[in-house]
């Protein structure tokens, strides 16, 4: 397999984890390049459910190397807990995991600030995962962040941490929040740092050597296109570049070494958190929730659901340069007939073919739908494209046509085997 950037082409939770687990069979290395433990990537293997937050979803395959790149923000205590959790479940985590020495750290004051800013925003809140992601990337951009390399030098780390806690406690005081205690944080982080030490290296150099040796790399996107800090539905976004370019900056692998961009979409649309979702439909939401689906993998929150939004997906294809499309959760529509697909927005009497950049305008866009026939039968057992009912084949073909990418994968269930490769 070529070097592939896999991105979510909607609002996150597209089923990236499942597709990455499947594709890892054909690559040597899987790299996370942005986001933090706001991500929740679900992989079902042999009936066991694994939810990955910071560790790439390739970790379940033996003989593959997983890299947490420089663009990721790492809560070291959460990462140690994730490693321990996987090891308890029998997953080997050792030489197969590398952590970038230049990745920034998420610290407890980031989490408290995240929470406090959300409280202050009231109705205008973003609905963050409260993992401290925004404030951590804020410190990185302000050039006041602490990095893994600091954590690897205990004296340097403690000195910088003490100053940062002093500064942040004065902000927390203004919010009326409890101050952070230096001693507790210092001890917990240095302990986690020692556990992570064997995994830490210059991953940029490691990745370039892997490329020189002809290794195939899969870049695992977290979140989705419309949560991108630049291209998403600002301010209802996350704080990293979730789109294809983020894979380069967040790993140190240059653009000309990338071969393919694979966009992942659900056969419908979901969003967790606040912000516009033009095709949101309470009927679709109720149906999926009744099936026990669409509850957040990180926070457990109920996801908002709606029809497939081809305006958004087409825009995502443009921004990411999506070559190939993976459509997941087709089985979620097994009992829906007819099925709506949004092919345009109406805003103040005008038709739009691209999403407006303003969140308030997107909020009042009315979707223009076409209706396609449902198939009223289970797709769970389909192994090849020809096994799908004709209406299901027509549906996914239409989504690919509207999206402007080549259909390459259709997923009909959460397990590895429930994947049709075209
Ligand atoms: P990610 O963040 O993009 O990796 O997606 P999540 O893991 O947060 O959410 C996707 C959900 O859909 C998870 O529960 C997956 O197990 C599940 N899933 C993925 N593909 C399929 C599919 O084709 N059918 C069904 N039924 N579930 C799927
Ligand atoms: P994966 O990788 C879905 C959303 C949050 C919120 C916004 C900002 O599993 O697809 P943050 O905590 O990042 O500051 O929250 O982004 N969000 C996600 N939604 N899937 C995710 O990750 C998400 N990570 C963040 O709900 O709306
Ligand atoms: Mg998820």
């Amino acid at each position: 397999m070529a070097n592939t950037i896999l991105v979510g082409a909607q609002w996150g939770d597209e089923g990236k984890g499942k597709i990455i687990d499947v594709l890892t069979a054909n690559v040597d290395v899987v790299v996370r390049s942005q986001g933090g433990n706001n991500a929740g990537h679900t992989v079902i293997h042999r009936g066991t459910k694994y939810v990955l937050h910071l560790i790439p979803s390739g970790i379940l395959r033996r003989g593959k190397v997983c890299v947490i790149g420089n663009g990721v923000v790492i809560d070291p205590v959460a990462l140690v807990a994730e490693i321990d959790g996987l090891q308890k479940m029998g997953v080997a985590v050792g030489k197969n995991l590398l952590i970038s020495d230049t990745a920034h750290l998420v610290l407890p004051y980031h989490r408290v600030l995240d929470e406090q800013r959300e409280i202050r925003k009231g109705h205008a809140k973003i609905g963050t995962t409260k993992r401290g992601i925004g404030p951590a990337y804020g410190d990185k951009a302000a050039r006041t962040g602490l990095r893994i390399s600091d954590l690897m030098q205990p004296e340097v780390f403690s000195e910088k941490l003490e100053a940062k806690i002093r500064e942040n406690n004065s902000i927390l005081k203004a919010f009326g929040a409890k101050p952070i205690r230096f001693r507790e944080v210092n001890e917990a982080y240095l302990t986690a740092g020692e556990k992570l030490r064997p995994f830490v290296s210059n991953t940029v150099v490691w990745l370039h050597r892997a490329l020189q040796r002809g290794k195939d790399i899969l870049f695992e996107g977290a979140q989705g296109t419309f949560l991108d800090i630049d291209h998403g539905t600002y301010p209802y976004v996350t704080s990293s570049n979730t789109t294809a370019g983020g894979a380069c900056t967040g790993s140190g692998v240059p653009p000309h070494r990338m071969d393919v961009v694979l966009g992942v979409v659900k056969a419908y649309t979901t969003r967790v958190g606040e912000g516009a979702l033009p095709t949101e439909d309470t009927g679709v939401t109720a149906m999926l929730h009744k099936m026990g689906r669409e509850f957040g993998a990180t926070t457990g929150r109920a996801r908002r659901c709606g029809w497939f939004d081809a305006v958004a997906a087409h825009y995502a294809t443009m921004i990411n340069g999506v070559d190939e499309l993976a459509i997941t959760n087709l089985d979620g529509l097994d009992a829906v007939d007819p099925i709506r697909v949004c092919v345009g927005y109406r805003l103040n009497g005008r038709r739009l073919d691209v999403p407006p950049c303003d969140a308030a305008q997107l909020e009042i866009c009315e979707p223009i739908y076409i209706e396609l026939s449902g198939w009223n039968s289970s797709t769970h057992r389909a192994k090849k494209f020809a096994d799908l009912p004709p209406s299901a084949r027509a549906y996914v073909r239409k989504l690919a046509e509207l999206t402007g990418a080549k259909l390459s994968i259709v997923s009909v269930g959460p397990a590895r085997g429930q994947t049709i490769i075209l």
Side-chain angles (χ1 to χ4, degrees):
M1 212 171 108
N3 296 327
T4 303
I5 302 178
L6 180 147
V7 289
Q10 296 167 316
W11 278 268
D13 302 329
E14 293 90 349
K16 300 178 293 294
K18 183 217 147 145
I19 301 298
I20 287 153
D21 171 64
V22 169
L23 296 181
T24 301
N26 303 317
V27 301
D28 306 295
V29 183
V30 184
V31 183
R32 266 285 300 273
S33 49
Q34 44 70 227
N37 61 341
N38 49 349
H41 298 174
T42 314
V43 179
I44 312 276
H45 178 50
R46 297 208 170 116
T48 303
K49 177 173 161 175
Y50 303 85
V51 182
L52 288 318
H53 298 288
L54 277 162
I55 297 175
S57 305
I59 197 77
L60 301 183
R61 301 254 188 194
R62 277 175 191 275
K64 312 293 175 174
V65 178
C66 288
V67 177
I68 301 178
N70 54 278
V72 176
V73 287
I74 301 175
D75 176 336
V77 178
L79 180 53
V80 167
E82 192 172 335
I83 293 170
D84 287 349
L86 283 173
Q87 285 174 337
K88 278 196 193 112
M89 290 173 90
V91 180
V93 186
K95 288 209 161 63
N96 55 345
L97 179 68
L98 302 178
I99 302 170
S100 166
D101 51 5
T102 55
H104 276 249
L105 300 177
V106 178
L107 286 135
Y109 46 80
H110 294 135
R111 281 195 301 276
V112 184
L113 285 173
D114 192 356
E115 195 166 2
Q116 289 297 325
R117 285 179 188 152
E118 285 282 273
I119 293 170
R120 289 235 160 169
K121 283 199 175 101
H123 287 307
K125 74 171 196 263
I126 295 165
T128 73
T129 59
K130 298 188 185 152
R131 298 295 189 270
I133 304 299
Y137 276 114
D139 266 351
K140 176 178 177 176
R143 296 152 296 173
T144 56
L146 300 188
R147 307 195 294 181
I148 290 283
S149 58
D150 295 315
L151 188 61
M152 294 300 105
Q153 307 170 69
E155 277 180 26
V156 172
F157 174 77
S158 299
E159 198 182 319
K160 288 188 180 178
L161 179 71
E162 195 164 21
K164 284 296 291 178
I165 288 190
R166 217 178 306 120
E167 175 195 333
N168 279 281
N169 274 348
S170 60
I171 303 169
L172 294 183
K173 198 173 165 196
F175 276 123
K178 252 175 56 186
I180 304 278
R181 287 178 209 234
F182 164 72
R183 245 198 235 159
E184 277 168 28
V185 177
N186 191 44
E187 199 185 313
Y189 272 61
L190 287 180
T191 304
E194 287 318 308
K195 289 194 178 151
L196 297 180
R197 191 179 290 282
F199 304 103
V200 175
S201 68
N202 182 331
T203 54
V204 175
V205 171
W206 191 92
L207 285 168
H208 279 261
R209 288 197 181 132
L211 286 169
Q212 275 165 4
R213 283 182 285 138
K215 302 289 179 195
D216 288 328
I217 304 179
L218 176 60
F219 295 84
E220 168 171 353
Q223 292 80 49
T225 298
F226 295 96
L227 294 173
D228 184 284
I229 182 80
D230 284 280
H231 303 291
T233 55
Y234 193 89
Y236 300 97
V237 293
T238 190
S239 298
S240 63
N241 283 116
T242 61
T243 44
C248 295
T249 51
S251 67
V253 174
H256 75 284
R257 299 311 305 260
M258 305 296 186
D259 300 304
V260 177
V261 179
L262 174 72
V264 184
V265 290
K266 274 180 181 148
Y268 46 90
T269 306
T270 67
R271 176 170 202 169
V272 62
E274 308 302 318
L277 188 63
T279 61
E280 186 168 9
D281 185 293
T282 49
V284 176
T285 305
M287 175 199 72
L288 292 163
H289 287 173
K290 212 166 145 197
M291 291 163 84
R293 303 160 75 124
E294 303 310 341
F295 293 92
T298 295
T299 57
R301 290 177 292 173
R303 294 177 184 149
R304 301 151 60 198
C305 309
W307 305 105
F308 187 84
D309 185 338
V311 176
H314 188 261
Y315 196 67
T317 295
M318 186 181 82
I319 289 174
N320 294 297
V322 173
D323 302 297
E324 296 187 11
L325 191 67
I327 300 178
T328 71
N329 285 273
L330 182 66
D331 53 303
L333 298 177
D334 281 351
V336 183
D337 193 11
I339 306 172
R340 294 173 135 194
V341 175
C342 168
V343 293
Y345 297 156
R346 204 175 300 287
L347 178 67
N348 302 324
R350 275 184 44 236
R351 187 185 165 123
L352 301 182
D353 297 317
V354 294
C357 68
D358 183 68
Q361 285 197 349
L362 186 63
E363 194 72 61
I364 55 167
C365 279
E366 284 173 40
I368 299 167
Y369 288 114
I370 56 168
E371 286 191 349
L372 301 175
S373 303
W375 43 94
N376 303 298
S377 59
S378 172
T379 53
H380 271 132
R381 281 185 229 285
K383 296 276 174 224
K384 27 184 220 307
F385 198 60
D387 295 340
L388 290 174
S391 306
R393 274 183 267 155
Y395 180 72
V396 291
R397 279 207 189 103
K398 186 74 186 171
L399 298 195
E401 179 198 317
L402 291 167
T403 301
K406 182 175 156 261
L407 183 62
S408 70
I409 298 174
V410 179
S411 171
V412 293
R416 274 181 195 171
Q418 293 173 302
T419 315
I420 299 167
I421 313 269
L422 276 80

